[in-house]
Amino acid sequence: MKSQILHILEKNNRIVSGDTISAALEISRVSVWKHIRELQELDYKIIVTPKGYQLVGTTGTPFPREFSRREAKVHYFPELGSTMDTAREMAGKGCPHFTVVVAGRQKNGRGRLKREWCSLEGGLYFTLILRPKIPPIFSARLIFCASLTLANLLNKKFSVPAQVKWPNDILVRGRKISGMLSEMEAEGDRVTFINIGIGINVNNDPTFQADRAISLREILKESVSRKELLSMFLDAFENRVKHTNLDHVVSEWKQYATMLNRKIRIVTRDEVSEGLAKDVDENGTLILELADGSVKEIVHGDCFHLG
Ligand code: BTN
C-alpha cells in the first residue's frame, strides 16, 4: 500500500488530497494518514498541508524501492547504531546472500581497530551480507574485491583518481574517502557469512572528525546520488564476484595501491612495525621488509605512509 501511495505522489509531483488517495486505493482517509506517517518515519520527505500531501526532495536516498530487482534484499533505516550490528542480527536469522543494510546516519558507526566512524547525514553507510561458498582462508579476497570495485568505479564512472591503501582504505590525493571493515562467521571449513561494512563520504563533511578525510561532493563540487552510487557498486561487485576468478583480485587491486615500495608504519593492537611495503599476497597479507632486511608478514593492522 505504501508503495502505491508513493507512486501516486510521485506521478502527480504536486499536492494530492487525502480524498484522492483514499478513493484511488479504496482505503479510508485515516488509513492514508497512517501510511503517510509511517513513510515519514522511513525518511520519505512528505509535506502535509491542509490540502493534502506532497512528496519532496527524496532524490538520491537509497530507499529499497529504488533498487528494483534487489528491492527485497535492500533494507534502509534512517538511523541505526551501526549497520554492522543490524547486519549481524539479520545474518544470524538466516537472511539471504547479498542482503544489504543501509543507514541514513549511524549513532555508533564503527571503524577498524575499534575507532569511531563519523556517520553524519549525507554519507553512504552500508553492510553487505554475503554467504560465499569459499573456505575462511579466502575471505579477505572478497574484501579486497570490494575495495577494488569501489576504486575502479570512482576512477571509471566519476573520473576521481581513487587509490587503495592496505588493507582496504580508499584515498583520493592522500585523503580518505572510504573505509571498510568485515566480520565473518564460519563453521569448520565453511563460511556461514561475511559481512562487509563500507562507509563512503559522499555528500557529508567528514572533516569534522578526520581532517585528512574528503568527500565525493568536495571533489566533484556537486552532490552525488547515494542511491546511484550504491546501485552501481552493487552491480559491479556482484558481477566481479560471479564472473571473475577471486584468485587474481589482489593482483588487480595492486594497480591502484598507494603504499607499495614506500616506507610505511603498520600499527596493530599489539605492536608497531616500520619498513618497506614489498608486496601484498593473493590472500591480502602485507609483506613488509624491515630495516635489517628480514621480512615480516602482516595480516591485520593500520597502515601509515612515512614518506
Ligand atoms: C575504517 O576505515 O576504519 C572502516 C570504516 C567502516 C565504516 C562502515 S560504515 C558502514 C559500516 N557500519 C559501521 O559501523 N562501520 C562500517
mmCIF file of all heavy atoms in Angstrom, residues 142-186:
data_model
loop_
_atom_site.group_PDB
_atom_site.id
_atom_site.type_symbol
_atom_site.label_atom_id
_atom_site.label_comp_id
_atom_site.label_asym_id
_atom_site.label_seq_id
_atom_site.Cartn_x
_atom_site.Cartn_y
_atom_site.Cartn_z
ATOM 1 N N LEU A 142 37.449 -11.354 -0.781
ATOM 2 C CA LEU A 142 36.183 -10.670 -1.048
ATOM 3 C C LEU A 142 36.249 -9.208 -0.648
ATOM 4 O O LEU A 142 35.686 -8.337 -1.304
ATOM 5 C CB LEU A 142 35.060 -11.346 -0.259
ATOM 6 C CG LEU A 142 34.420 -12.543 -0.934
ATOM 7 C CD1 LEU A 142 33.462 -13.221 0.021
ATOM 8 C CD2 LEU A 142 33.676 -12.100 -2.192
ATOM 9 N N ILE A 143 36.932 -8.919 0.443
ATOM 10 C CA ILE A 143 37.013 -7.528 0.900
ATOM 11 C C ILE A 143 37.944 -6.736 -0.025
ATOM 12 O O ILE A 143 37.669 -5.592 -0.368
ATOM 13 C CB ILE A 143 37.450 -7.473 2.374
ATOM 14 C CG1 ILE A 143 36.478 -8.319 3.198
ATOM 15 C CG2 ILE A 143 37.432 -6.051 2.915
ATOM 16 C CD1 ILE A 143 37.147 -9.080 4.287
ATOM 17 N N PHE A 144 39.013 -7.378 -0.476
ATOM 18 C CA PHE A 144 39.870 -6.711 -1.465
ATOM 19 C C PHE A 144 39.089 -6.498 -2.760
ATOM 20 O O PHE A 144 39.267 -5.492 -3.455
ATOM 21 C CB PHE A 144 41.158 -7.521 -1.702
ATOM 22 C CG PHE A 144 42.188 -7.252 -0.642
ATOM 23 C CD1 PHE A 144 42.120 -7.882 0.590
ATOM 24 C CD2 PHE A 144 43.205 -6.338 -0.849
ATOM 25 C CE1 PHE A 144 43.038 -7.607 1.604
ATOM 26 C CE2 PHE A 144 44.140 -6.058 0.144
ATOM 27 C CZ PHE A 144 44.059 -6.703 1.373
ATOM 28 N N CYS A 145 38.197 -7.427 -3.054
ATOM 29 C CA CYS A 145 37.363 -7.295 -4.252
ATOM 30 C C CYS A 145 36.445 -6.077 -4.090
ATOM 31 O O CYS A 145 36.220 -5.330 -5.048
ATOM 32 C CB CYS A 145 36.561 -8.580 -4.437
ATOM 33 S SG CYS A 145 35.601 -8.590 -5.930
ATOM 34 N N ALA A 146 35.940 -5.857 -2.865
ATOM 35 C CA ALA A 146 35.061 -4.703 -2.627
ATOM 36 C C ALA A 146 35.841 -3.403 -2.785
ATOM 37 O O ALA A 146 35.369 -2.457 -3.429
ATOM 38 C CB ALA A 146 34.434 -4.795 -1.236
ATOM 39 N N SER A 147 37.057 -3.323 -2.232
ATOM 40 C CA SER A 147 37.793 -2.054 -2.357
ATOM 41 C C SER A 147 38.274 -1.842 -3.789
ATOM 42 O O SER A 147 38.273 -0.718 -4.299
ATOM 43 C CB SER A 147 38.932 -1.949 -1.341
ATOM 44 O OG SER A 147 39.794 -3.040 -1.417
ATOM 45 N N LEU A 148 38.622 -2.937 -4.472
ATOM 46 C CA LEU A 148 38.987 -2.820 -5.889
ATOM 47 C C LEU A 148 37.789 -2.294 -6.690
ATOM 48 O O LEU A 148 37.922 -1.380 -7.509
ATOM 49 C CB LEU A 148 39.430 -4.195 -6.420
ATOM 50 C CG LEU A 148 39.502 -4.341 -7.931
ATOM 51 C CD1 LEU A 148 40.566 -3.426 -8.520
ATOM 52 C CD2 LEU A 148 39.801 -5.791 -8.318
ATOM 53 N N THR A 149 36.612 -2.865 -6.439
ATOM 54 C CA THR A 149 35.404 -2.453 -7.174
ATOM 55 C C THR A 149 35.126 -0.973 -6.964
ATOM 56 O O THR A 149 34.842 -0.234 -7.914
ATOM 57 C CB THR A 149 34.181 -3.276 -6.685
ATOM 58 O OG1 THR A 149 34.467 -4.650 -6.853
ATOM 59 C CG2 THR A 149 32.924 -2.912 -7.451
ATOM 60 N N LEU A 150 35.236 -0.521 -5.710
ATOM 61 C CA LEU A 150 34.913 0.879 -5.438
ATOM 62 C C LEU A 150 35.961 1.815 -6.062
ATOM 63 O O LEU A 150 35.615 2.834 -6.664
ATOM 64 C CB LEU A 150 34.789 1.113 -3.923
ATOM 65 C CG LEU A 150 34.356 2.504 -3.512
ATOM 66 C CD1 LEU A 150 33.021 2.903 -4.161
ATOM 67 C CD2 LEU A 150 34.223 2.613 -1.988
ATOM 68 N N ALA A 151 37.235 1.458 -5.948
ATOM 69 C CA ALA A 151 38.283 2.301 -6.536
ATOM 70 C C ALA A 151 38.085 2.394 -8.053
ATOM 71 O O ALA A 151 38.188 3.469 -8.660
ATOM 72 C CB ALA A 151 39.660 1.742 -6.211
ATOM 73 N N ASN A 152 37.774 1.251 -8.644
ATOM 74 C CA ASN A 152 37.560 1.190 -10.083
ATOM 75 C C ASN A 152 36.363 2.055 -10.513
ATOM 76 O O ASN A 152 36.433 2.818 -11.472
ATOM 77 C CB ASN A 152 37.327 -0.286 -10.431
ATOM 78 C CG ASN A 152 37.408 -0.535 -11.898
ATOM 79 O OD1 ASN A 152 36.386 -0.534 -12.561
ATOM 80 N ND2 ASN A 152 38.603 -0.719 -12.427
ATOM 81 N N LEU A 153 35.295 1.957 -9.737
ATOM 82 C CA LEU A 153 34.078 2.727 -10.024
ATOM 83 C C LEU A 153 34.350 4.228 -9.933
ATOM 84 O O LEU A 153 33.933 5.004 -10.799
ATOM 85 C CB LEU A 153 33.033 2.320 -8.985
ATOM 86 C CG LEU A 153 31.609 2.793 -9.137
ATOM 87 C CD1 LEU A 153 30.997 2.126 -10.354
ATOM 88 C CD2 LEU A 153 30.808 2.391 -7.899
ATOM 89 N N LEU A 154 35.046 4.636 -8.890
ATOM 90 C CA LEU A 154 35.318 6.067 -8.721
ATOM 91 C C LEU A 154 36.178 6.582 -9.873
ATOM 92 O O LEU A 154 35.955 7.673 -10.402
ATOM 93 C CB LEU A 154 36.005 6.328 -7.378
ATOM 94 C CG LEU A 154 35.117 6.095 -6.139
ATOM 95 C CD1 LEU A 154 35.936 6.206 -4.855
ATOM 96 C CD2 LEU A 154 33.948 7.076 -6.099
ATOM 97 N N ASN A 155 37.155 5.784 -10.293
ATOM 98 C CA ASN A 155 38.015 6.188 -11.408
ATOM 99 C C ASN A 155 37.248 6.227 -12.720
ATOM 100 O O ASN A 155 37.291 7.215 -13.455
ATOM 101 C CB ASN A 155 39.201 5.225 -11.546
ATOM 102 C CG ASN A 155 40.331 5.587 -10.602
ATOM 103 O OD1 ASN A 155 41.121 6.476 -10.896
ATOM 104 N ND2 ASN A 155 40.392 4.950 -9.443
ATOM 105 N N LYS A 156 36.549 5.112 -12.998
ATOM 106 C CA LYS A 156 35.958 4.956 -14.335
ATOM 107 C C LYS A 156 34.658 5.731 -14.512
ATOM 108 O O LYS A 156 34.398 6.269 -15.571
ATOM 109 C CB LYS A 156 35.709 3.469 -14.634
ATOM 110 C CG LYS A 156 36.974 2.620 -14.580
ATOM 111 C CD LYS A 156 37.700 2.622 -15.932
ATOM 112 C CE LYS A 156 39.186 2.359 -15.869
ATOM 113 N NZ LYS A 156 39.634 1.070 -15.406
ATOM 114 N N LYS A 157 33.810 5.754 -13.490
ATOM 115 C CA LYS A 157 32.489 6.390 -13.670
ATOM 116 C C LYS A 157 32.455 7.837 -13.178
ATOM 117 O O LYS A 157 31.609 8.609 -13.585
ATOM 118 C CB LYS A 157 31.396 5.597 -12.932
ATOM 119 C CG LYS A 157 31.243 4.171 -13.401
ATOM 120 C CD LYS A 157 30.338 4.095 -14.607
ATOM 121 C CE LYS A 157 29.973 2.652 -14.886
ATOM 122 N NZ LYS A 157 30.095 2.168 -16.165
ATOM 123 N N PHE A 158 33.338 8.175 -12.245
ATOM 124 C CA PHE A 158 33.296 9.541 -11.713
ATOM 125 C C PHE A 158 34.565 10.338 -12.048
ATOM 126 O O PHE A 158 34.691 11.481 -11.626
ATOM 127 C CB PHE A 158 33.113 9.510 -10.189
ATOM 128 C CG PHE A 158 31.761 8.984 -9.746
ATOM 129 C CD1 PHE A 158 31.548 7.628 -9.562
ATOM 130 C CD2 PHE A 158 30.699 9.859 -9.545
ATOM 131 C CE1 PHE A 158 30.305 7.144 -9.171
ATOM 132 C CE2 PHE A 158 29.454 9.390 -9.153
ATOM 133 C CZ PHE A 158 29.256 8.022 -8.963
ATOM 134 N N SER A 159 35.498 9.701 -12.744
ATOM 135 C CA SER A 159 36.797 10.320 -13.067
ATOM 136 C C SER A 159 37.498 10.879 -11.832
ATOM 137 O O SER A 159 38.105 11.952 -11.875
ATOM 138 C CB SER A 159 36.623 11.449 -14.088
ATOM 139 O OG SER A 159 36.025 10.949 -15.223
ATOM 140 N N VAL A 160 37.369 10.144 -10.737
ATOM 141 C CA VAL A 160 38.023 10.542 -9.485
ATOM 142 C C VAL A 160 39.261 9.649 -9.312
ATOM 143 O O VAL A 160 39.137 8.422 -9.374
ATOM 144 C CB VAL A 160 37.037 10.353 -8.295
ATOM 145 C CG1 VAL A 160 37.761 10.423 -6.974
ATOM 146 C CG2 VAL A 160 35.940 11.393 -8.355
ATOM 147 N N PRO A 161 40.455 10.240 -9.125
ATOM 148 C CA PRO A 161 41.681 9.422 -9.061
ATOM 149 C C PRO A 161 41.828 8.690 -7.724
ATOM 150 O O PRO A 161 42.698 8.999 -6.916
ATOM 151 C CB PRO A 161 42.787 10.476 -9.236
ATOM 152 C CG PRO A 161 42.193 11.739 -8.705
ATOM 153 C CD PRO A 161 40.725 11.681 -8.947
ATOM 154 N N ALA A 162 40.941 7.701 -7.508
ATOM 155 C CA ALA A 162 40.945 6.973 -6.232
ATOM 156 C C ALA A 162 42.030 5.911 -6.221
ATOM 157 O O ALA A 162 42.281 5.258 -7.233
ATOM 158 C CB ALA A 162 39.585 6.332 -6.022
ATOM 159 N N GLN A 163 42.683 5.746 -5.063
ATOM 160 C CA GLN A 163 43.704 4.708 -4.893
ATOM 161 C C GLN A 163 43.349 3.885 -3.660
ATOM 162 O O GLN A 163 42.531 4.318 -2.839
ATOM 163 C CB GLN A 163 45.067 5.359 -4.686
ATOM 164 C CG GLN A 163 45.569 6.087 -5.923
ATOM 165 C CD GLN A 163 46.971 6.603 -5.693
ATOM 166 O OE1 GLN A 163 47.168 7.504 -4.891
ATOM 167 N NE2 GLN A 163 47.939 6.029 -6.394
ATOM 168 N N VAL A 164 43.986 2.723 -3.522
ATOM 169 C CA VAL A 164 43.723 1.902 -2.340
ATOM 170 C C VAL A 164 44.963 1.873 -1.450
ATOM 171 O O VAL A 164 46.094 1.882 -1.945
ATOM 172 C CB VAL A 164 43.315 0.454 -2.707
ATOM 173 C CG1 VAL A 164 41.929 0.412 -3.318
ATOM 174 C CG2 VAL A 164 44.322 -0.183 -3.659
ATOM 175 N N LYS A 165 44.705 1.856 -0.150
ATOM 176 C CA LYS A 165 45.812 1.735 0.804
ATOM 177 C C LYS A 165 45.510 0.511 1.662
ATOM 178 O O LYS A 165 44.384 0.360 2.153
ATOM 179 C CB LYS A 165 45.905 3.000 1.677
ATOM 180 C CG LYS A 165 47.037 2.936 2.714
ATOM 181 C CD LYS A 165 47.301 4.295 3.313
ATOM 182 C CE LYS A 165 46.221 4.747 4.241
ATOM 183 N NZ LYS A 165 46.395 4.459 5.643
ATOM 184 N N TRP A 166 46.507 -0.354 1.815
ATOM 185 C CA TRP A 166 46.307 -1.591 2.568
ATOM 186 C C TRP A 166 45.765 -1.297 3.954
ATOM 187 O O TRP A 166 46.233 -0.340 4.581
ATOM 188 C CB TRP A 166 47.659 -2.318 2.689
ATOM 189 C CG TRP A 166 47.555 -3.667 3.325
ATOM 190 C CD1 TRP A 166 47.298 -4.849 2.695
ATOM 191 C CD2 TRP A 166 47.715 -3.967 4.710
ATOM 192 N NE1 TRP A 166 47.286 -5.873 3.606
ATOM 193 C CE2 TRP A 166 47.541 -5.360 4.856
ATOM 194 C CE3 TRP A 166 47.974 -3.212 5.866
ATOM 195 C CZ2 TRP A 166 47.630 -6.011 6.092
ATOM 196 C CZ3 TRP A 166 48.056 -3.847 7.092
ATOM 197 C CH2 TRP A 166 47.886 -5.231 7.189
ATOM 198 N N PRO A 167 44.788 -2.032 4.479
ATOM 199 C CA PRO A 167 44.172 -3.126 3.738
ATOM 200 C C PRO A 167 43.060 -2.671 2.795
ATOM 201 O O PRO A 167 43.022 -3.123 1.657
ATOM 202 C CB PRO A 167 43.613 -4.040 4.835
ATOM 203 C CG PRO A 167 43.391 -3.155 6.004
ATOM 204 C CD PRO A 167 44.416 -2.043 5.912
ATOM 205 N N ASN A 168 42.154 -1.807 3.225
ATOM 206 C CA ASN A 168 41.039 -1.512 2.327
ATOM 207 C C ASN A 168 40.544 -0.069 2.386
ATOM 208 O O ASN A 168 39.356 0.194 2.240
ATOM 209 C CB ASN A 168 39.871 -2.476 2.624
ATOM 210 C CG ASN A 168 40.238 -3.900 2.294
ATOM 211 O OD1 ASN A 168 40.354 -4.724 3.181
ATOM 212 N ND2 ASN A 168 40.489 -4.192 1.039
ATOM 213 N N ASP A 169 41.460 0.853 2.609
ATOM 214 C CA ASP A 169 41.065 2.265 2.571
ATOM 215 C C ASP A 169 41.064 2.737 1.129
ATOM 216 O O ASP A 169 41.880 2.283 0.318
ATOM 217 C CB ASP A 169 42.100 3.131 3.316
ATOM 218 C CG ASP A 169 41.993 2.985 4.818
ATOM 219 O OD1 ASP A 169 41.045 2.321 5.282
ATOM 220 O OD2 ASP A 169 42.861 3.532 5.515
ATOM 221 N N ILE A 170 40.186 3.685 0.849
ATOM 222 C CA ILE A 170 40.229 4.324 -0.470
ATOM 223 C C ILE A 170 40.617 5.781 -0.238
ATOM 224 O O ILE A 170 39.989 6.481 0.583
ATOM 225 C CB ILE A 170 38.848 4.293 -1.168
ATOM 226 C CG1 ILE A 170 38.234 2.888 -1.144
ATOM 227 C CG2 ILE A 170 38.950 4.846 -2.582
ATOM 228 C CD1 ILE A 170 38.581 1.982 -2.261
ATOM 229 N N LEU A 171 41.647 6.212 -0.929
ATOM 230 C CA LEU A 171 42.150 7.575 -0.777
ATOM 231 C C LEU A 171 42.044 8.326 -2.096
ATOM 232 O O LEU A 171 42.178 7.732 -3.165
ATOM 233 C CB LEU A 171 43.630 7.578 -0.375
ATOM 234 C CG LEU A 171 44.096 6.744 0.814
ATOM 235 C CD1 LEU A 171 45.589 7.001 1.044
ATOM 236 C CD2 LEU A 171 43.325 7.062 2.074
ATOM 237 N N VAL A 172 41.831 9.628 -1.969
ATOM 238 C CA VAL A 172 41.913 10.493 -3.156
ATOM 239 C C VAL A 172 42.897 11.592 -2.804
ATOM 240 O O VAL A 172 42.685 12.333 -1.834
ATOM 241 C CB VAL A 172 40.537 11.077 -3.530
ATOM 242 C CG1 VAL A 172 40.676 12.031 -4.719
ATOM 243 C CG2 VAL A 172 39.553 9.959 -3.861
ATOM 244 N N ARG A 173 43.958 11.676 -3.560
ATOM 245 C CA ARG A 173 45.075 12.609 -3.296
ATOM 246 C C ARG A 173 45.484 12.548 -1.830
ATOM 247 O O ARG A 173 45.614 13.567 -1.144
ATOM 248 C CB ARG A 173 44.696 14.037 -3.685
ATOM 249 C CG ARG A 173 44.377 14.146 -5.169
ATOM 250 C CD ARG A 173 44.062 15.561 -5.608
ATOM 251 N NE ARG A 173 43.351 15.527 -6.883
ATOM 252 C CZ ARG A 173 42.035 15.687 -7.005
ATOM 253 N NH1 ARG A 173 41.281 15.942 -5.972
ATOM 254 N NH2 ARG A 173 41.480 15.610 -8.197
ATOM 255 N N GLY A 174 45.622 11.331 -1.317
ATOM 256 C CA GLY A 174 46.114 11.129 0.044
ATOM 257 C C GLY A 174 45.067 11.311 1.123
ATOM 258 O O GLY A 174 45.352 11.116 2.307
ATOM 259 N N ARG A 175 43.835 11.682 0.744
ATOM 260 C CA ARG A 175 42.797 11.878 1.769
ATOM 261 C C ARG A 175 41.758 10.764 1.673
ATOM 262 O O ARG A 175 41.365 10.340 0.583
ATOM 263 C CB ARG A 175 42.157 13.266 1.601
ATOM 264 C CG ARG A 175 43.168 14.376 1.914
ATOM 265 C CD ARG A 175 42.643 15.734 1.521
ATOM 266 N NE ARG A 175 41.520 16.153 2.349
ATOM 267 C CZ ARG A 175 40.788 17.243 2.089
ATOM 268 N NH1 ARG A 175 41.072 18.005 1.048
ATOM 269 N NH2 ARG A 175 39.789 17.575 2.874
ATOM 270 N N LYS A 176 41.287 10.332 2.842
ATOM 271 C CA LYS A 176 40.427 9.133 2.869
ATOM 272 C C LYS A 176 38.987 9.469 2.480
ATOM 273 O O LYS A 176 38.366 10.338 3.072
ATOM 274 C CB LYS A 176 40.471 8.547 4.281
ATOM 275 C CG LYS A 176 39.711 7.244 4.444
ATOM 276 C CD LYS A 176 40.272 6.467 5.608
ATOM 277 C CE LYS A 176 39.362 5.359 6.061
ATOM 278 N NZ LYS A 176 39.980 4.508 7.064
ATOM 279 N N ILE A 177 38.489 8.705 1.503
ATOM 280 C CA ILE A 177 37.104 8.914 1.080
ATOM 281 C C ILE A 177 36.220 7.744 1.512
ATOM 282 O O ILE A 177 35.012 7.879 1.651
ATOM 283 C CB ILE A 177 37.023 9.145 -0.455
ATOM 284 C CG1 ILE A 177 35.645 9.650 -0.846
ATOM 285 C CG2 ILE A 177 37.388 7.921 -1.246
ATOM 286 C CD1 ILE A 177 35.552 10.170 -2.243
ATOM 287 N N SER A 178 36.860 6.588 1.759
ATOM 288 C CA SER A 178 36.063 5.418 2.151
ATOM 289 C C SER A 178 36.886 4.455 2.992
ATOM 290 O O SER A 178 38.107 4.356 2.829
ATOM 291 C CB SER A 178 35.574 4.698 0.882
ATOM 292 O OG SER A 178 35.031 3.445 1.200
ATOM 293 N N GLY A 179 36.196 3.775 3.903
ATOM 294 C CA GLY A 179 36.845 2.739 4.711
ATOM 295 C C GLY A 179 35.942 1.516 4.770
ATOM 296 O O GLY A 179 34.724 1.617 4.573
ATOM 297 N N MET A 180 36.552 0.367 5.009
ATOM 298 C CA MET A 180 35.775 -0.880 5.047
ATOM 299 C C MET A 180 36.190 -1.707 6.231
ATOM 300 O O MET A 180 37.356 -1.674 6.650
ATOM 301 C CB MET A 180 36.044 -1.720 3.796
ATOM 302 C CG MET A 180 35.792 -0.956 2.538
ATOM 303 S SD MET A 180 35.825 -1.984 1.073
ATOM 304 C CE MET A 180 35.476 -0.704 -0.141
ATOM 305 N N LEU A 181 35.236 -2.461 6.765
ATOM 306 C CA LEU A 181 35.602 -3.453 7.776
ATOM 307 C C LEU A 181 34.726 -4.677 7.588
ATOM 308 O O LEU A 181 33.674 -4.591 6.960
ATOM 309 C CB LEU A 181 35.523 -2.868 9.181
ATOM 310 C CG LEU A 181 34.214 -2.483 9.798
ATOM 311 C CD1 LEU A 181 33.687 -3.608 10.631
ATOM 312 C CD2 LEU A 181 34.439 -1.300 10.714
ATOM 313 N N SER A 182 35.184 -5.804 8.124
ATOM 314 C CA SER A 182 34.427 -7.027 7.866
ATOM 315 C C SER A 182 34.295 -7.867 9.123
ATOM 316 O O SER A 182 35.108 -7.747 10.049
ATOM 317 C CB SER A 182 35.126 -7.837 6.789
ATOM 318 O OG SER A 182 36.390 -8.221 7.258
ATOM 319 N N GLU A 183 33.264 -8.682 9.122
ATOM 320 C CA GLU A 183 33.055 -9.656 10.201
ATOM 321 C C GLU A 183 32.672 -10.971 9.544
ATOM 322 O O GLU A 183 31.914 -10.970 8.575
ATOM 323 C CB GLU A 183 31.890 -9.226 11.092
ATOM 324 C CG GLU A 183 32.228 -8.083 12.013
ATOM 325 C CD GLU A 183 31.043 -7.634 12.859
ATOM 326 O OE1 GLU A 183 29.974 -8.300 12.829
ATOM 327 O OE2 GLU A 183 31.198 -6.609 13.530
ATOM 328 N N MET A 184 33.208 -12.039 10.085
ATOM 329 C CA MET A 184 32.934 -13.326 9.447
ATOM 330 C C MET A 184 32.537 -14.363 10.485
ATOM 331 O O MET A 184 33.006 -14.313 11.623
ATOM 332 C CB MET A 184 34.202 -13.800 8.741
ATOM 333 C CG MET A 184 33.984 -15.082 7.977
ATOM 334 S SD MET A 184 35.505 -15.689 7.261
ATOM 335 C CE MET A 184 36.387 -16.186 8.693
ATOM 336 N N GLU A 185 31.657 -15.280 10.079
ATOM 337 C CA GLU A 185 31.377 -16.429 10.940
ATOM 338 C C GLU A 185 31.556 -17.678 10.094
ATOM 339 O O GLU A 185 31.139 -17.698 8.921
ATOM 340 C CB GLU A 185 29.946 -16.336 11.470
ATOM 341 C CG GLU A 185 29.785 -17.096 12.765
ATOM 342 C CD GLU A 185 28.454 -16.780 13.418
ATOM 343 O OE1 GLU A 185 28.408 -15.799 14.186
ATOM 344 O OE2 GLU A 185 27.492 -17.514 13.147
ATOM 345 N N ALA A 186 32.216 -18.674 10.667
ATOM 346 C CA ALA A 186 32.459 -19.896 9.891
ATOM 347 C C ALA A 186 32.199 -21.110 10.755
ATOM 348 O O ALA A 186 32.287 -21.053 11.983
ATOM 349 C CB ALA A 186 33.897 -19.908 9.393
#
